[in-house]
Amino acid sequence: METTPALKAQHHLTSHDNLTTLQSHILAEEAKYPNSTGTLSWILSAMSFSAKMIASKIRRARLNDVLGSLDSDNVQGERQQKLDVIANETLLRCLGSRAGVAIVASEENEEPIMLRTETEGDRKYVVLFDPLDGSANLDACGAVGTIFSVLRHDRRVMPVERSVLQPGVRQVAAGYILYGSSVVFVLTTGTGVDMFVLDPSIGAFLEVEENLRIPTKSKNYSMNEGNRKSFPTGYQNYLDWAQSNGYSSRYAGAMVADVHRILLKGGVFLYPPTAKAPKGKLRLMYEANPMSMIIEQAGGKSFADKQRILEIQPEDLHQRTSVIMGSPDEVDHVLAQL
Ligand code: P6P
């Protein structure tokens, strides 16, 4: 009599076989902390929702004739692109509906926005963001990004909006969304860096990299060499050294695009002090700090001249800083010349 062949158990799925979405990743991270209230998860899901809406508007910008600039400038004195305003409004409205957010602060708004008084909601967090970093690239279909930083709301400080001015080491989460050839969401909540790519056909961010590590070294640097003549001497000496040692240069003119490339391929991103921006151009609170947290969580380094960026005590919401961030060995090569 024929016997039925024993069913062969399939080999078990290992973790990297599993399909993980950003949403399931956020919930899995929350489950690691039994006392978690889920407030941070709600904030991160608001960032995911905002990213999908902003991505959709960027993809159709030219078609909807949304491109082109408003006849207004932002607090930085930069000509606002219509999409800057739309991205900012999208983030403010998505975060505004999250009870856990006490204060939001944006590159596009001069002052922090108090979302709730002392008695409303659990107001545990402050969220800072650059809604559309590199937006000047939009007209040329260049890569742009959203950068965000999450701090715990410090109720002890007065006036209450000063709760925003905390050093980068106090961030509980940081991330960016790169609107490039695909839409990439990179996130850290302090235990490594994870990367997700939007599948527009299902409207979900799927995990593609878990605990991402930056290459220790790579002969690449990324900076606007047009400012070379006004760089402090040490940076000019670094350029001479790098060009004598076979380094190549890539520069997209959008921090998210340049740093994302370095996170994946290695190298160093620099924005030194210049004559036009003697303290550096990039904003500490919602550009340099979140990107520094990500780079450090991936095993890289991030400095402003000789000072670790995450240890800078901020004095002003929109203060600027110089930046040297990327592979540890490559950052060391720059610091050795300063
Ligand atoms: P530059 C974009 O305007 C931005 O704030 C960053 O995203 C980018 O790294 C930098 O400025 C580019 O500045 O002076 O090279 O155009």
Side-chain angles (χ1 to χ4, degrees):
M1 181 177 73
E2 271 192 41
T3 56
T4 309
L7 279 179
K8 279 196 172 177
Q10 285 217 351
H11 86 90
H12 70 284
L13 288 177
T14 56
S15 63
H16 70 267
D17 292 332
N18 297 339
L19 262 186
T20 302
T21 64
L22 175 56
Q23 205 52 46
S24 59
H25 170 82
I26 291 168
L27 293 174
E29 286 299 301
E30 177 190 323
K32 292 177 184 173
Y33 304 94
N35 300 326
S36 171
T37 60
T39 307
L40 181 59
S41 299
W42 265 112
I43 291 170
L44 297 177
S45 72
M47 296 311 299
S48 170
F49 181 46
S50 303
K52 293 174 194 173
M53 287 206 286
I54 294 168
S56 161
K57 295 191 188 302
I58 287 174
R59 292 284 174 255
R60 296 191 51 78
R62 176 67 75 182
L63 301 175
N64 298 345
D65 190 30
V66 173
L67 278 181
S69 63
L70 295 169
D71 54 359
S72 65
D73 291 350
N74 64 17
V75 294
Q76 318 297 335
E78 291 165 349
R79 176 67 50 181
Q80 275 189 293
Q81 302 286 332
K82 289 177 185 173
L83 275 167
D84 272 340
V85 177
I86 291 172
N88 197 46
E89 291 300 316
T90 300
L91 284 156
L92 290 175
R93 291 172 60 196
C94 287
L95 290 167
S97 66
R98 298 306 200 244
V101 183
I103 304 172
V104 292
S106 166
E107 182 207 32
E108 299 295 331
N109 299 91
E110 185 136 15
E111 299 299 332
I113 300 169
M114 315 296 298
L115 287 183
R116 286 168 183 83
T117 62
E118 284 298 329
T119 56
E120 293 167 317
D122 60 7
R123 305 173 56 260
K124 284 168 63 175
Y125 296 105
V126 175
V127 182
L128 305 95
F129 52 82
D130 180 356
L132 210 57
D133 174 64
S135 56
N137 284 352
L138 280 169
D139 282 334
C141 199
V144 292
T146 297
I147 310 173
F148 66 91
S149 167
V150 185
L151 295 163
R152 281 189 186 77
H153 178 37
D154 184 349
R155 301 175 188 211
R156 295 165 303 174
V157 299
M158 283 297 169
V160 64
E161 55 269 24
R162 286 193 64 82
S163 171
V164 172
L165 300 179
Q166 300 178 47
V169 286
R170 297 237 190 97
Q171 294 174 104
V172 295
Y176 61 80
I177 299 94
L178 174 60
Y179 311 100
S181 51
S182 57
V183 181
V184 178
F185 197 116
V186 174
L187 172 66
T188 182
T189 52
T191 56
V193 176
D194 300 298
M195 181 171 142
F196 305 82
V197 173
L198 180 65
D199 179 341
S201 65
I202 57 173
F205 280 103
L206 300 183
E207 186 172 67
V208 296
E209 290 284 351
E210 191 179 12
N211 195 23
L212 203 157
R213 305 299 291 167
I214 190 170
T216 308
K217 62 179 71 175
S218 176
K219 288 191 170 186
N220 288 289
Y221 67 82
S222 180
M223 66 197 307
N224 183 342
E225 294 186 55
N227 298 318
R228 175 176 180 141
K229 288 197 178 307
S230 66
F231 289 162
T233 307
Y235 292 93
Q236 303 200 33
N237 294 342
Y238 166 74
L239 270 179
D240 292 338
W241 174 86
Q243 290 164 3
S244 308
N245 283 275
Y247 277 60
S248 62
S249 169
R250 295 279 184 284
Y251 192 67
M255 184 186 197
V256 175
D258 287 316
V259 175
H260 182 68
R261 183 188 58 252
I262 284 165
L263 179 63
L264 298 185
K265 297 179 180 297
V268 60
F269 172 79
L270 306 94
Y271 207 103
T274 67
K276 191 179 170 192
K279 292 186 176 177
K281 176 183 180 185
L282 300 176
R283 271 75 68 172
L284 173 65
M285 296 307 295
Y286 41 78
E287 288 179 335
N289 271 345
M291 300 306 274
S292 296
M293 182 179 183
I294 289 165
I295 288 290
E296 288 199 0
Q297 283 287 319
K301 290 184 175 181
S302 183
F303 280 75
D305 288 334
K306 298 281 191 181
Q307 182 176 16
R308 183 183 173 218
I309 284 180
L310 292 181
E311 292 175 353
I312 295 175
Q313 175 53 52
E315 301 299 326
D316 176 77
L317 171 60
H318 299 294
Q319 77 181 64
R320 297 174 188 267
T321 180
S322 64
V323 171
I324 307 165
M325 65 167 68
S327 299
D329 291 8
E330 303 306 333
V331 170
D332 287 347
H333 287 313
V334 180
L335 296 178
Q337 300 288 341
L338 301 190

